[in-house]
Amino acid sequence: MNYFSSEFKLGILGGGQLGKMLLAEARKFDIQTYVLDPSKEAPSQFGATKFFIGDLMDFDTVYDFGKKVDLLTIEIENVNLDALDKLEADGLKVFPSPKTLRLIQNKGNQKDFYVINNIPTSPYQRFENIQNLKSKIVNQQSKIQLPFVWKSAQFGYDGNGVKVVRSISDFESLPDVECIAEQMVAFKNELAVIVARSASGEVKTYPVVEMEFHPEANQVEYVICPARIDEKVAQKATEVALKVSVAFNHVGLLAVEMFQTHDDEILVNEVAPRPHNSGHYSIEGSYTSQFENDLRAILSLPLGDTTSKVAGIMVNLVGAEGYSGNVIYENIEKIMAINGVTPHIYGKRETRPFRKMGHVTIVNEDMKKARRIAEEVKNTIRVIAK
């Protein structure tokens, strides 16, 4: 199929900020883009050739949408996989495949997959519900002990569906859903590697990045590229990411989040089979952004250069505590006056505490200077409401 034909239609399930940034890259190519999202306010509504409103978990909605396009991809994992199975059986190319998504969509299945494939990961245990988890912990029938990390098996995102449980009283705030408990890991750094893998089998990796998290929201505050780690550790992290990529047999992007322990072992935390927050710096910092390489990969085109031009740091813009309503980006003009600073506003009208509303990229030849500027940006701009 000629992907550069004006008749070619690329379908994207999900119309959030990842879809919006993917659409920006798609404009380089002469292809039509169709987007399906449940919200009429989705950020991708203005960038797509056609925008459809519908439930991503509804079989008929997803199947009918897929019949409109020539190739289907995702920007969010929580989609109806049975519909994708049927579309694939009908002959539609779906990347990543529903088979890969089934292994990733449920975090319990994802952790089991690591163990089966000898991929290093933290100790964990699966539970049907909160009562089952609480009973096993209280009666000391679990291999997982307090404190531990609780994760909803499905539908978690942006820090939602993840909580550190330090005492029995913390169970009261957890939803009654299928979940996993992971033993807390003592680590030096949280790292990530994005692997681009094309339908033709070509594979490239982006440099290892280092992530700094907000202590309360469990969201990434800063992504630093390259990670400030020893080269041997970076090589080990890349090798682990490639092993994970081979095991999942994905097409497109796979973001592999990892822990670097105090003895420099690498443990896989979780993966995302799509563009990822840890790769946003690449829009300004890399020769080929993660979004362009995602398109290249699913369209079986040669992958672009993943090398960084300069040091890059991304600052997440999230809703300030105490503010909900129509968003205002206070002091954005001040950060734009700084050399090497580029804001990305996602187009969400309503802000609320810790909601991802945008990000800012800082590029500089001097990593230390870039980090200082990132701190200045973080302390200057505020995402508030009218």
Side-chain angles (χ1 to χ4, degrees), residues 53 78 228 284 323-324 327:
I53 300 171
N78 297 325
R228 298 164 298 183
E284 283 78 34
Y323 292 91
S324 295
V327 66

Side-chain angles (χ1 to χ4, degrees), residues 222-235:
Y222 302 100
V223 171
I224 300 168
C225 182
R228 298 164 298 183
I229 56 176
D230 185 83
E231 180 57 35
K232 290 182 179 179
V233 175
Q235 182 178 349

Side-chain angles (χ1 to χ4, degrees), residues 317 323 327-338 341 343 345 360 376-385:
L317 296 181
Y323 292 91
V327 66
I328 296 174
Y329 296 90
E330 187 178 69
N331 298 327
I332 191 170
E333 72 283 355
K334 293 182 179 178
I335 67 166
M336 291 180 72
I338 306 171
V341 171
I345 304 303
V360 180
E376 181 182 353
V377 166
K378 183 73 176 179
N379 293 332
T380 300
I381 190 169
R382 291 205 309 156
V383 183
I384 59 175

Side-chain angles (χ1 to χ4, degrees), residues 114-133:
Y114 299 145
V115 173
I116 292 168
N117 288 276
N118 296 313
I119 293 166
T121 193
S122 59
Y124 71 100
Q125 192 167 343
R126 301 180 67 169
F127 297 93
E128 297 176 1
N129 50 48
I130 290 300
Q131 287 80 7
N132 184 229
L133 169 59

Side-chain angles (χ1 to χ4, degrees), residues 282-296:
S282 65
I283 297 173
E284 283 78 34
S286 304
Y287 285 101
T288 311
S289 78
Q290 66 164 340
F291 297 98
E292 181 176 335
N293 260 336
D294 191 28
L295 289 173
R296 286 173 176 242

Side-chain angles (χ1 to χ4, degrees), residues 77-96:
E77 298 94 305
N78 297 325
V79 298
N80 189 294
L81 299 183
D82 292 336
L84 297 190
D85 282 332
K86 182 68 166 62
L87 288 165
E88 196 172 59
D90 290 349
L92 182 69
K93 289 185 177 181
V94 181
F95 298 131

Side-chain angles (χ1 to χ4, degrees), residues 241-311:
L242 286 169
K243 182 177 181 179
V244 174
S245 171
V246 170
F248 278 119
N249 193 32
H250 73 99
V251 171
L253 299 184
L254 188 74
V256 185
E257 297 181 45
M258 296 169 279
F259 299 117
Q260 175 194 357
T261 68
H262 288 285
D263 58 359
D264 288 339
E265 290 303 307
I266 298 295
L267 301 178
V268 174
N269 179 20
E270 57 187 47
V271 300
R274 51 167 171 76
H276 191 255
N277 192 257
S278 64
H280 289 350
Y281 76 90
S282 65
I283 297 173
E284 283 78 34
S286 304
Y287 285 101
T288 311
S289 78
Q290 66 164 340
F291 297 98
E292 181 176 335
N293 260 336
D294 191 28
L295 289 173
R296 286 173 176 242
I298 64 176
L299 298 178
S300 298
L301 298 169
L303 297 178
D305 187 354
T306 56
T307 306
S308 293
K309 303 173 187 175
V310 287

Side-chain angles (χ1 to χ4, degrees), residues 16-18 75-78 107 155-162 213-214 216-220 257 270 274-277 280 316-318 346 348 352-358:
Q17 63 262 22
L18 299 178
E75 64 105 57
I76 187 171
E77 298 94 305
N78 297 325
K107 286 187 169 63
F155 310 121
Y157 68 96
D158 288 357
N160 294 286
V162 180
F213 279 74
H214 189 286
E216 296 175 24
N218 196 43
Q219 289 179 326
V220 176
E257 297 181 45
E270 57 187 47
R274 51 167 171 76
H276 191 255
N277 192 257
H280 289 350
N316 266 328
L317 296 181
V318 300
Y346 296 157
K348 300 174 183 178
R352 57 179 179 267
F354 301 119
R355 187 185 191 193
K356 283 185 182 176
M357 302 297 291

